[in-house]
Amino acid sequence: MSFELKVKSFIEKERLLQQDDHLLIAVSGGIDSMALLHYFVDTKEQWGIQIEAVHVDHMLRGEASAEDRAFVQKYCDNNGVYLHARAIPIPAIMAQEKGNTQLICRRERYRYFKEVLQQTNATKLVTAHHADDQLESVLMALTKNATINSMQGIRAQRFFAGKTLIRPFLTVTKYEIREYLLRKGLDYREDASNAKDTYVRNRYRHHVVPLLEAENPRVSEQVTHFTKQLQEDDAFLMALAQDVFSQIIERSNENTYSMKIDAFQLISLALQRRLILILLNYLYKDSNTIQSYALVTSILKLCETTAGYAEIHLPEDFLAVRRYGQLTIQKNRPLEGVASSEKKIISTANGWTTLTTGERLCLAKLDDLTSELLTDTAQLFYFNASKLYLPLYVRTRKDGDRMLLKGMDQPKRLSRLFIDEKIPLNERNSWPLLISQSDEVVAVIGVRMGMFFSTTPQPNDDTVLIVD
């Protein structure tokens, strides 16, 4: 099958083009992108489409980079193709960020592609990824982060900037592209950095791929078939997982998800993994985080049992907690301050005070206690105001906090109390404490009341704390 027929068949099978599409073709000046641009110059009437080109000069190779742009511009002028081009000072950005060169180049390049897409009538961005790129991507994923997603390699199309990115050359090899370009008598620019082993992809390209091709010259095509089958199988399983996700996972807000672990354990391991991937897609934007094998495995391990309390810290300050047979993933609440300006005052004149935990507190004189203050869920704690010296305060704990309990000669450390009462570790630093004027802890709200309080009024009690 000829190069042109092979590409045409792939475009039709994958439904990459529609009548009246307006393509924005990414062109570096190298062999792959020049073949891509020329293919659509030759076939645009056949497909019934419009084309424009976009080029980025990364300014990494001095005059050679500028010559790449001039080369692409000349081809576009000669063939009636409008070229969008920009020079981006990658060296200056690298000096400021100290990051990975390839990642920075890709980020800035696609940022410009997005800008042009949004400024024009283009419906699709087109890149020249081919079968050899697919092979290299799968090999890199296999040796670095072999997850279900990463092993699926490069997709023929995906959403990008509210539009679509397509890769019509994924079915053809580098050798076939070169033969096509030579047959057409077309020139291209060679990037000297492609010959270096500085970049990971280049090392695979120069040393690993030739060994595989010696065993099977069609290995790139075989991997392309493999990734396509994997993508189709995974799409089916993900559809099943999405249905199960809606049944067993509850979303409280954009940062809080929970599920019953026993229900999760009833589904197959294949769907369990995909449920976690769906969940990570809601939490994160970074694909490396979403596809992290270690992250997926650690959450799976957390769900191996329903017994006991356990937690793992996730990226971007998320926390996965197993408690009472339920898994909850939520933003880890930051530690609250203990400065006096951050304390909440609780007094008989304030009425109801709502805490961050959702509980409400109210102080009232016994003589002023009315039915309006008493709800079906209200708890009443009586005390003698002269012993606590109102007003009281609410703050979170600090090192060394202790509380005197009834029947004890010495105050108990709150760190020990939290352990005894099975308060989750991630909640202890934000748990509300009731404090006297002398900064003494007199109650741990919702957990234990100190020695000054009783659930029935004593002879000298004159005030009541209402917790609802």
Side-chain angles (χ1 to χ4, degrees), residues 440-456:
E440 177 186 2
V441 179
V442 296
V444 178
I445 304 300
V447 178
R448 291 288 296 274
M449 304 300 290
M451 65 169 295
F452 298 101
F453 298 94
S454 61
T455 55
T456 56

Side-chain angles (χ1 to χ4, degrees), residues 28 55-71 189 191:
S28 66
H55 173 84
V56 171
D57 173 2
H58 297 110
M59 303 176 67
L60 287 170
R61 295 179 293 117
E63 189 62 29
S65 292
E67 290 172 357
D68 290 348
R69 176 174 177 172
F71 173 80
R189 296 280 297 175
D191 186 341

